Amino acid sequence: MTPRIPHSRPTLGKDEEAAALRVLGSGRLAAGPEVEAFEREVAAVTGTRGGVAVNSGSAALHLALLALGLGKGDDVLVPSYCCAALLHAVSYTGARPAMADVDPDTGLVTKETARRAMTPRTRAAIVPHLLGRLAPVREIASLGVRVVEDCAMAFGTRTGARPLGSLGDVAILSFYATKLLATGQGGMLVSRDGRLLARARDLVRYDERETYRVRFNYPMTDLAAAIGRVQLRRLPRFLARRRAIARRYERAFSGLRGASFVPRGPADACYRFVLSVPRGRASLFRALRARGIEAKPPVYRPLHRYLGLRPSRFPGAEACGRAFASLPIYPSLTQNDQDRVIAAVLDAFGGVR
């Protein structure tokens, strides 16, 4: 039987196994020295002052908004074409999402779409480096809002001399099982601002405190952090492997009939490889599934649809939601698996022009 090729898969090995066993042998599973070391090492990679490791990227996003002082009466700019975690985090704080459209060719929020979405109450913007592509963080900051740089899909790369994660007021990372760096679950908040970091740390030290305020049981475990530290050392090789696969796909799909690949820049982490299929995307998914290959929309549903907002206000997000198709791309994807993906896509579209 031909093995199935999943859409996403973590890349784990003996070193991660040894790190987990080391922590199990220590008898300390909760947050401890592994978490502290992981925070320092991630901060060094992102060019920030420090990090606060937590149990998910969603928790990191929630803390980032709270550390910025956002709450009831505030609006937070959110791009419509993105993960629902952004909506959840804004709602947790009591703030209101101000939905922005995106560029239909890249899926990224732009300065202009952000400007159009801003309200008199907009105090902050969440700016994701969607699919691993560089978003205009500093351009959106120039609109006069605080920026949460969402690096969940683009960690370990840089623009010019600046590492991603250091461009906004605060940044968040995700270490979910299928992210660039995987610990199963986990995330981190990083910032160059010591006061923001102190606020976030206060919010996760939820017990044995002299004073009471609402705090959160969000800490990362030493078990996850130990795995993360190994993954962090492997991250440059992971990124190089992803870029090599992306280049191979681009060569194979140049001139594809009825589809094109979403362009990428030099800072792209290649978290996803996305084809734009204006017509026939469902047929492509069926054709790949019949050959044991999983492909899917990179975003399940544009966020404005959850809020009942008029689709006509978000033509870019609607276009991406209809056309984008994400193919398997991860470091453990073998040469043979790549060959199968390429052959299946070419067959589905009848080859190249």
Side-chain angles (χ1 to χ4, degrees), residues 106 129-133 153 262 268-272 274 298 324:
T106 65
H129 297 298
L130 189 75
L131 313 177
R133 288 155 175 77
M153 302 184 191
V262 176
D268 197 334
C270 296
Y271 176 64
R272 295 283 185 242
V274 177
F324 281 10

Side-chain angles (χ1 to χ4, degrees), residues 318-340:
E318 285 287 313
C320 296
R322 288 190 302 269
F324 281 10
S326 180
L327 302 180
I329 182 170
Y330 38 87
S332 58
L333 192 70
T334 67
Q335 187 88 0
N336 182 63
D337 288 345
Q338 295 168 46
D339 291 341
R340 285 177 57 195

Side-chain angles (χ1 to χ4, degrees), residues 148-164:
V148 179
E149 183 184 2
D150 184 344
C151 298
M153 302 184 191
F155 173 43
T157 185
R158 61 179 55 235
T159 173
R162 294 286 295 277
L164 299 194

Side-chain angles (χ1 to χ4, degrees), residues 264-327:
R264 63 186 178 93
D268 197 334
C270 296
Y271 176 64
R272 295 283 185 242
F273 187 90
V274 177
L275 291 176
S276 180
V277 188
R279 290 177 296 277
R281 186 182 67 172
S283 297
L284 171 65
F285 289 159
R286 285 194 297 271
L288 295 181
R289 188 164 56 247
R291 297 174 71 157
I293 299 166
E294 184 185 20
K296 60 175 62 177
V299 170
Y300 183 75
R301 195 180 192 203
L303 302 185
H304 64 268
R305 289 182 167 264
Y306 289 117
L307 302 179
L309 301 177
R310 291 197 312 274
S312 59
R313 291 174 50 194
F314 304 92
E318 285 287 313
C320 296
R322 288 190 302 269
F324 281 10
S326 180
L327 302 180

Side-chain angles (χ1 to χ4, degrees), residues 43-322:
V45 170
T46 55
T48 55
R49 185 169 180 171
V52 181
V54 291
N55 55 22
S56 71
S58 295
L61 191 53
H62 182 203
L63 287 181
L65 296 174
L66 293 177
L68 288 171
L70 298 165
K72 188 174 181 180
D74 299 322
D75 286 355
V76 179
L77 191 142
V78 175
S80 179
Y81 193 69
C82 201
C83 171
L86 278 66
L87 280 185
H88 295 317
V90 173
S91 298
Y92 294 161
T93 69
R96 186 177 68 174
M99 302 305 303
D101 200 13
V102 297
D103 184 312
D105 295 325
T106 65
L108 294 172
V109 64
T110 69
K111 183 178 180 180
E112 185 52 39
T113 61
R115 190 200 310 275
R116 291 199 298 266
M118 288 180 64
T119 73
R121 305 196 313 176
T122 303
R123 291 184 53 210
I126 304 173
V127 183
H129 297 298
L130 189 75
L131 313 177
R133 288 155 175 77
L134 181 64
V137 174
R138 285 173 286 194
E139 291 88 337
I140 292 173
S142 72
L143 297 175
V145 293
R146 310 294 295 277
V147 170
V148 179
E149 183 184 2
D150 184 344
C151 298
M153 302 184 191
F155 173 43
T157 185
R158 61 179 55 235
T159 173
R162 294 286 295 277
L164 299 194
S166 68
L167 305 179
D169 295 281
V170 60
I172 68 98
L173 310 168
S174 173
F175 308 130
Y176 179 65
T178 58
K179 289 297 194 293
L180 296 165
L181 184 160
T183 65
Q185 288 281 3
M188 194 176 295
L189 173 155
V190 295
S191 180
R192 292 173 294 142
D193 187 329
R195 290 173 297 180
L196 285 177
L197 291 169
R199 290 176 203 147
R201 289 194 184 103
D202 176 72
L203 289 168
V204 295
R205 290 181 55 214
Y206 65 97
D207 196 14
E208 299 182 357
R209 306 298 300 274
E210 295 300 320
T211 59
Y212 175 77
R213 62 177 295 190
V214 174
R215 295 181 172 93
F216 304 91
N217 187 7
Y218 281 170
M220 178 180 280
T221 67
D222 259 17
L223 189 60
I227 295 170
R229 295 180 68 196
V230 175
Q231 290 268 294
L232 185 62
R233 293 194 294 271
R234 301 178 69 189
L235 185 58
R237 298 195 297 276
F238 287 170
L239 293 172
R241 175 72 172 164
R242 286 177 175 275
R243 288 167 179 151
I245 296 170
R247 288 193 296 269
R248 186 157 188 247
Y249 281 167
E250 287 168 350
R251 289 193 298 270
F253 302 143
S254 180
L256 195 65
R257 298 177 188 272
S260 59
F261 49 81
V262 176
R264 63 186 178 93
D268 197 334
C270 296
Y271 176 64
R272 295 283 185 242
F273 187 90
V274 177
L275 291 176
S276 180
V277 188
R279 290 177 296 277
R281 186 182 67 172
S283 297
L284 171 65
F285 289 159
R286 285 194 297 271
L288 295 181
R289 188 164 56 247
R291 297 174 71 157
I293 299 166
E294 184 185 20
K296 60 175 62 177
V299 170
Y300 183 75
R301 195 180 192 203
L303 302 185
H304 64 268
R305 289 182 167 264
Y306 289 117
L307 302 179
L309 301 177
R310 291 197 312 274
S312 59
R313 291 174 50 194
F314 304 92
E318 285 287 313
C320 296
R322 288 190 302 269

